Structures are given as structure tokens and as C-alpha cells.
Amino acid sequence: LLPSSQVYPIHLPRETRTRRALLICNIEFEHLSRRDGAEVDVKGMRELLEGLDYTVDIHLNLTSEEMAKVMEGFADRKEHQTSDSTFLVFMSHGVRAGLCGTKSRSGTTDILSIDTIFERFNNKCCQGLRGKPKVIIIQSCRGGTVGSVMVGDSPGPALPAPSSAQAATAGLEDDAVCEVHLESDFAALHSSTPDTVSWRSPVTGSIFIQHLVKQFRDHACSSHLQEIFRKIQYSFGEFPRQLPSQERTTMLRKFYLFPGL
């Protein structure tokens, strides 16, 4: 068994906890093609999240400004105080820079930056979810490249040297309020890797959402979140045109959903 310090706590019983999830899906656009089949994705995700004991706030067909406003209102919901986690689901046309709003014409007009999502729910702006898992699911294209293109690895940047301010305060204590990470406890799964497309059937919905729903239903009772993410990625082994990508994940512990408890 894992020590409890390695697992996100679920303090409240099911009867008193108030899990909420946000689902934003753009289907109709003024200048871009209709996302046929997206209604199936909304239904599948709503049923999955409700089965995991989340009350789902659903919003359809928003501009980037409206999406940002909806996120702000959701982040301020008092229910987060008596919740243990949240899911934030976004489905739309997309580009490398982010998600297309309903008035988008190109990769630079009416785009919701992915950064905005993380900023709205970080530990400064959303204190009700501080220290709690925030699961971001994004179904969108991120460019026009087919995902089976071969690319080379590049070395990561070197870690910065400690600043003089950090060095000066080493070993000292102060009486200020506790310092916390600005951004932590996020787990983000994107439907594809950067610059590549995501595939959707007009009849059965997005390939990614279909795989995600199946893996959560099969394994949420026993596997922690990031293991479920890995299973979703593994399930694309026979579909080389697309590979879901875990990015900007800052989970400090393992998150078990424990449905039914």
C-alpha cells in the first residue's frame, strides 16, 4: 500500500462533498466548419463525469472571451471548498496557440490560450482548489500535421542557478503566510501532440473522447489518474495518426477517483 502522503486525500463522504466539473464545447462557428459528432462527445463526457460523482456545468458555442468569463465564474464557485478535485473539459477547433472561439477566422483571431486555463485555476486565482487535483482534458487539433511524422528530440534547457535572493535567505525562517507553488496539482491530457491534428467521426464523435471514456470506465475503480492517462495513450498504438499527450502536469501525489465511495 502507498503511504497516505503519496495519495491525494478525499476527506468528505460522498453525501457531503460537492465535486463539480466544467465542460465547454464549441460545435457551431461563424467562419469555421461545424464540428459534427461533437454532441456525442458531450454526452459521453457528461455521463462519465456524472458517474464519477461530478455535477457538470456544460456551456456550448462560446467565443474566447466568453470561455474566459465562464472559467472565471466556475473557478469562484463555493462548492470547490467542499470538493476534492475538478475536471475541466474543452472541445473545439484548435491551433497550436490554443482553442478557437466561435468567431475565429484563423489561428490568430478569437483564440483562447491554453495558458489562460492554467492561470485561471492556479493556486493564486482559485484558492478553493488549492492542493486539489485539477484535471484538464482538451479535444482539439493543434495544427495540420498528421501525427505519424517523425521528429527528433532536442535537449531541454539547463536549470537556472539559484538567485542571490534565494541564497541570502537560505536557512532562515519568517513569519509570513505560507508560500505555495503558483501552479501545482494539474494533470493535463491533450488529444494530440503539438502541431498535429485530432480525428473526429461525424457519427461516433472524437476518437480521443471514445478512448478516454472507455479507459476511465474500465480502470477508474482501481488505477490512479496518470496511469489511466497512460492507458489512454497506449490504446492509440494501432492508430499512429494521433497520440494523446500529457503536458504541463504538476501532480504531487497520486489521484484515485474512488467512484462509489
Side-chain angles (χ1 to χ4, degrees):
L1 291 174
L2 286 170
S4 60
S5 61
Q6 296 295 306
V7 177
Y8 282 100
I10 297 180
H11 293 303
L12 297 171
R14 185 174 185 176
E15 296 74 30
T16 54
R17 71 176 177 232
T18 52
R19 284 181 170 176
R20 294 200 80 97
L22 175 66
L23 193 161
I24 295 175
C25 181
N26 289 337
I27 303 173
E28 304 274 0
F29 298 81
E30 292 186 15
H31 309 288
L32 305 176
S33 61
R34 188 180 193 277
R35 296 183 61 248
D36 292 325
E39 301 93 337
V40 182
D41 294 340
V42 172
K43 181 177 184 290
M45 285 303 304
R46 177 181 59 78
E47 291 176 351
L48 173 68
L49 291 169
E50 287 178 350
L52 294 170
D53 200 31
Y54 291 87
T55 299
V56 188
D57 294 2
I58 298 177
H59 299 267
L60 303 179
N61 302 324
L62 304 179
T63 65
S64 59
E65 185 175 327
E66 290 168 339
M67 287 191 275
K69 190 168 296 186
V70 163
M71 285 194 295
E72 183 175 357
F74 184 78
D76 290 340
R77 292 198 74 113
K78 66 181 185 303
E79 291 93 336
H80 297 316
Q81 299 287 346
T82 45
S83 177
D84 51 53
S85 57
T86 192
F87 273 73
L88 309 165
V89 182
F90 301 87
M91 308 178 191
S92 186
H93 285 307
V95 293
R96 178 65 187 266
L99 295 153
C100 296
T102 52
K103 295 182 181 296
S104 179
R105 288 177 177 270
S106 66
T108 57
T109 59
D110 196 22
I111 301 297
L112 176 74
S113 168
I114 302 300
D115 286 346
T116 303
I117 301 172
F118 285 87
E119 289 164 4
R120 184 59 261 175
F121 292 95
N122 68 22
N123 290 325
K124 178 181 179 182
C125 294
C126 185
Q127 296 193 17
L129 288 168
R130 183 194 295 171
K132 303 172 183 179
K134 295 164 280 282
V135 184
I136 299 174
I137 305 292
I138 301 175
Q139 162 59 45
S140 75
C141 290
R142 307 176 75 182
T145 306
V146 175
S148 54
V149 170
M150 300 297 290
V151 296
D153 292 331
S154 59
L159 291 173
S163 67
S164 57
Q166 289 173 316
T169 57
L172 302 179
E173 297 180 357
D174 62 38
D175 293 320
V177 295
C178 67
E179 190 173 14
V180 298
H181 298 289
L182 175 62
E183 182 177 305
S184 67
D185 311 294
F186 282 100
L189 186 64
H190 209 299
S191 58
S192 60
T193 50
D195 298 315
T196 64
V197 297
S198 295
W199 297 87
R200 171 175 39 82
S201 163
V203 177
T204 58
S206 305
I207 303 294
F208 170 64
I209 297 299
Q210 293 174 54
H211 283 238
L212 183 147
V213 168
K214 182 181 188 308
Q215 295 301 320
F216 266 89
R217 284 185 173 154
D218 288 349
H219 301 290
C221 60
S222 57
S223 297
H224 63 84
L225 181 80
Q226 287 175 273
E227 176 64 12
I228 299 172
F229 278 5
R230 187 197 61 77
K231 291 176 185 293
I232 295 166
Q233 292 175 293
Y234 184 79
S235 73
F236 276 77
E238 301 300 317
F239 190 70
R241 292 186 172 192
Q242 181 180 340
L243 180 63
S245 176
Q246 295 189 54
E247 298 175 20
R248 202 162 165 173
T249 292
T250 52
M251 298 287 274
L252 303 178
R253 309 181 188 188
K254 293 185 177 181
F255 176 38
Y256 290 90
L257 284 150
F258 300 131
L261 297 182

